[in-house]
Structures are given as structure tokens and as C-alpha cells.
Amino acid sequence: MIKRTNASISKCIIHKVGNKFNNTKNAFSEKEVHFDEASYELMLPFLLRPFGSVVQSYRFNHHADITLNEINTYSSQIFTNEDDFIENSKHIVKHLFEQSNSAQIKTGDVLVVLFEGIEFNEITTNALGIFKIENKVNFFQTYLENNSYDVLVQKGINSKKVDKGCLILNQSDTEGRIVLSADNNNYDAQYWTNHFLNIKFADDANSHTQQYLELCKDFSEDILKISYGNQEQNTFLAKTIDFFKEHEIIKVEEFKDDIFVEDKHKILFDDYKKTFESEKDLVIRNQFDVSDLVVNKEKKKIKTEIKLDTNIQIKLDIDAPEASSEYLERGYDETKKMHFYKVFFNAEG
């Protein structure tokens, strides 16, 4: 994640990208945007806000040679010589256009922005941002005509969130230049990250933790919930988060021994892990460091609720992994021909 306290925009240009699938064309600006005070004060946080909470970072990728990655090349040229900013921004839009190989890829405005004063991992650097605005919203505009006010509807950019964006830092580590990405219209994840940017997750604790927690969440949804019910699913997720909170290093065999009581569940998990790795085209390590940032972020996303068709919901505390098995019993009532949950407690809160 970045800090934008001292960030500023030094260059910005707006182009329009078409879609070669339906023969809409690109449209290019020849001059940079010159903001007035009001638009600048709104634009700066609008563009950088998505990256304030991003934990995982990426690195540029290419099957043959990283120097052949187009966005890596164009961003490097801009960092080296800012006089080439406008020309390289056009190259970026043309490359984005070439990735529009289906009708569902939307046209839109493309903002190419050079930032200064971006803080990342306690280092201040400049960065190149590429943003695609795919959806515009309706808003009312009032105007004065013949001594009376009237109203019309116009379309504009929603200042609450960016549809798609990346931030390429002018900073590298042993894996290459650091890239952050955000995609709020995830209708085609391959289009933005794999085809346009051609980036891969960094080989670090953030990615390892994220991948393993995603494996556990998918396993709980696809296997445990279907085969054993919501209670078993939620207990597993609570135990998983608890295990990650208590360990600085995850050893997969220790994890399975701690979480699963029966060997058949370990076998189910191992089989699912192989499928998960194959579908995601990744290999999950048998041992890795834990990222507390990722654990805390993913914990907030997990919903441990049991929703019943009788308009009753049971919410389980994810920070109390043993509570579900100790104080919640599931059964079947032969008289009513209905399932039931029995909840034990000492006092109502």
C-alpha cells in the first residue's frame, strides 16, 4: 500500500480507447491537462485512493525477455525522459486497444498520469499511473435560461472509484519494477492484468499468504459447505484465521494436522489444492512467512453467517474458532420434519 500525503501530479493526459472488435477508434489528445484548483483537488485523491489499501504488488512478466514487455518499456522511457511523455502515452493506449479482442471489452477514457512524492515501504518515489474509465454516471445539471432555472441530464465520471488502474513505481527490487493494480470492473481479469499489463504477483509473503487463504476460502465454499454444511465451513474458516494469527511461518503439514481431525478431510484438501493450483497456474509453497496485513484484510471479507430459510440468521465470531463446535449443535426434528440448531449460552448480551 502507498501513502499519498505528499503526492502530486506533475503530468496528465487523457485519450480515448476504442475497441477493434466493434471497429470503434482511438482518439488522442495532443496536449497535457492543465487543472484548475478545484479539479486538481478532486482528481489527485480519486486516482490514488485505490492503492492506499492494496497489499499485494506485481512485477512485469514476459515469456521470453522482460524488456519486450510493452508497458515496462513505455514506463521506463517516460521515467528516463519525461519529454517523451505524450508520445509514450499514445503507445500505451494503442497497446490497450490491441487487447480488446471481444465485444465485452468496453471503450473509455484513458488517463496517463505522472506522480511525484509517492511513499511505498518508507521510500519516496515518482510513479506512472494508467487509468481506464469504462462507466459514466448520470447527473443533473441546473442552468439559467430566460430568468428561470431548468435542469438537464449529463454523463460524467463517478469520482468515488476508478474502474481500472495501475501504478508503476519508479522503484525496483530483485524481481523487477514494482507495480500495483486495481480493477473494480472485474468482468475480464485476463484483459487488464495478463494481456495489457502482463504482470505476475511478487514472490513475497503477501502473495503466499493471499494465495493460501484464497485456497482455504474456495475449499470451504466448494467442498465443506456442500458436503458438511455452513457450520463446518465457518468453523474451518475461523480456525484457519486463528492459525495464521498465531504463526509467523506457515508449514502446510502443521496446518493440516491442526485444522483437520480426520485424515479423509486432509485428503480432500490435498486433492482440492492440486486442482486449485492447476486452475490458477501457480504452485503454493509448503512453507512461507505470514503477512499480517493480508490476514487482517482477508479476515474482514469472511462472512461467518448461517442463513436459514426461516428468516433467522446465526452469526459466528471468527475470532472464536472453538465456539461453533462447543456451543452450537445441529440436528433434525422428526415431528416437524425440519433441521434445527441448538445454541448454548449463559447470558444474553
Side-chain angles (χ1 to χ4, degrees), residues 57-168:
S57 64
Y58 296 82
R59 303 296 180 272
F60 285 116
N61 186 40
H62 196 276
H63 69 276
D65 188 339
I66 195 64
T67 60
L68 299 177
N69 182 297
E70 289 87 348
I71 302 303
N72 181 37
T73 298
Y74 299 142
S75 60
S76 296
Q77 290 174 354
I78 290 174
F79 289 136
T80 302
N81 186 358
E82 292 186 12
D83 292 338
D84 295 333
F85 174 75
I86 294 178
E87 194 61 30
N88 277 307
S89 72
K90 294 179 181 179
H91 291 323
I92 289 171
V93 173
K94 292 175 184 176
H95 176 60
L96 181 60
F97 176 80
E98 290 301 318
Q99 313 314 312
S100 56
N101 295 315
S102 71
Q104 69 176 2
I105 303 298
K106 299 176 182 179
T107 61
D109 298 337
V110 179
L111 287 75
V112 183
V113 186
L114 196 59
F115 297 97
E116 295 180 355
I118 300 292
E119 294 181 48
F120 180 81
N121 288 346
E122 299 181 351
I123 295 176
T124 301
T125 184
N126 57 337
L128 181 71
I130 305 169
F131 306 89
K132 185 184 178 189
I133 309 300
E134 297 178 326
N135 297 311
K136 294 189 176 180
V137 297
N138 293 326
F139 65 92
F140 292 110
Q141 178 67 52
T142 58
Y143 64 96
L144 182 64
E145 186 175 18
N146 297 328
N147 295 323
S148 295
Y149 281 97
D150 210 336
V151 65
L152 58 83
V153 176
Q154 294 182 325
K155 282 187 174 294
I157 298 173
N158 185 344
S159 62
K160 299 298 182 183
K161 67 175 183 177
V162 171
D163 290 319
K164 285 176 166 55
C166 73
L167 198 63
I168 305 162

Side-chain angles (χ1 to χ4, degrees), residues 9 12 14 35 38-48 111:
I9 297 173
C12 176
I14 302 174
F35 296 100
S39 59
Y40 180 87
E41 292 299 323
L42 189 62
M43 182 66 74
L44 180 61
F46 165 65
L47 296 178
L48 292 180
L111 287 75

